[in-house]
Amino acid sequence: MPRVGLSNLHYAKLIKDGPDGVEYDTPKKITKLAKATINPQTNSATYYADNGPVENYSALGEIQVELEVGDIPIEVQAELLGATIKNGVIYNSAEDQPPYVAIGFEGLKSNGKRIFYWLYKGRFSVPQEDLQTLQGTPEYQPEKLVGVFVKREYDGKWRAKADEEGANFDQSLAQNWFNAVHEEPKDTGA
């Protein structure tokens, strides 16, 4: 089914990512998500032998992400960009280091079923700001968040994606998707 909607943007700070595990803060919601673009860069090489191509290998590069949001509160901007706030004013510095975060959101299909996403590890950069004067017909000017996501050190994963129409989809996933960053269930060996 074609997708017709997008909502429920959440982010969670990445606390730990290493050989002994991964840990995130509790997800926080950002309202008014209008558009999400996820562009994984895949690099491939072809090996030629015996007068033709005989092997091809692909490797994942960075994942470029762009989010269009109606309004990003300055508290969220400061948290995502590593900036400071004093007396209601955000201060951006050349030394700011954005933290790694996970982002989650859901898409809506034309049949009412949903697709759920978590991107596991990325940083956002200070967004470009385009402002325009009010004219005879108002024109919305949403804010954009642009980031680069990468695979996790812990397990090499970069995304979790679930479709309500997928085989064996557990409806409890939909109810709890944004309570915490979704992780692959541990294999119990049973």
Side-chain angles (χ1 to χ4, degrees), residues 31-53:
T31 60
K32 300 178 183 149
L33 177 61
K35 184 178 180 181
T37 303
I38 304 165
N39 186 10
Q41 303 298 303
T42 304
N43 304 304
S44 65
T46 302
Y47 178 71
Y48 290 83
D50 296 328
N51 297 320

Side-chain angles (χ1 to χ4, degrees), residues 9 11 21 34 56-57 61 71 75 113 133 136 142 158 166 170 178 187:
L9 175 61
Y11 72 97
N56 182 274
Y57 188 82
D71 180 40
E75 296 80 14
K113 298 295 183 182
T133 190
W158 66 274
D170 181 352
F178 301 110
D187 189 6

Side-chain angles (χ1 to χ4, degrees), residues 6-127:
L6 180 66
S7 62
N8 276 328
L9 175 61
H10 287 72
Y11 72 97
K13 275 188 173 181
L14 177 62
I15 297 169
K16 176 178 93 170
D17 177 24
D20 57 337
V22 65
E23 184 181 344
Y24 295 92
D25 243 347
T26 303
K28 297 177 184 177
K29 187 171 184 175
I30 302 174
T31 60
K32 300 178 183 149
L33 177 61
K35 184 178 180 181
T37 303
I38 304 165
N39 186 10
Q41 303 298 303
T42 304
N43 304 304
S44 65
T46 302
Y47 178 71
Y48 290 83
D50 296 328
N51 297 320
V54 294
E55 288 285 334
N56 182 274
Y57 188 82
S58 295
L60 178 68
E62 66 183 32
I63 299 102
Q64 298 170 353
V65 174
E66 184 174 304
L67 303 173
E68 198 172 283
V69 183
D71 180 40
I72 306 166
I74 62 167
E75 296 80 14
V76 173
Q77 290 180 40
E79 194 167 15
L80 291 177
L81 302 175
T84 57
I85 295 179
K86 291 183 181 165
N87 299 324
V89 178
I90 187 170
Y91 295 95
N92 298 96
S93 166
E95 289 80 35
D96 291 346
Q97 285 299 312
Y100 280 114
V101 296
I103 58 167
F105 51 90
E106 70 180 65
L108 179 65
K109 295 177 165 186
S110 61
N111 64 358
K113 298 295 183 182
R114 297 170 293 172
I115 301 172
F116 299 91
Y117 296 84
W118 271 109
L119 302 179
Y120 287 133
K121 183 179 182 180
R123 285 184 168 150
F124 289 100
S125 55
V126 177

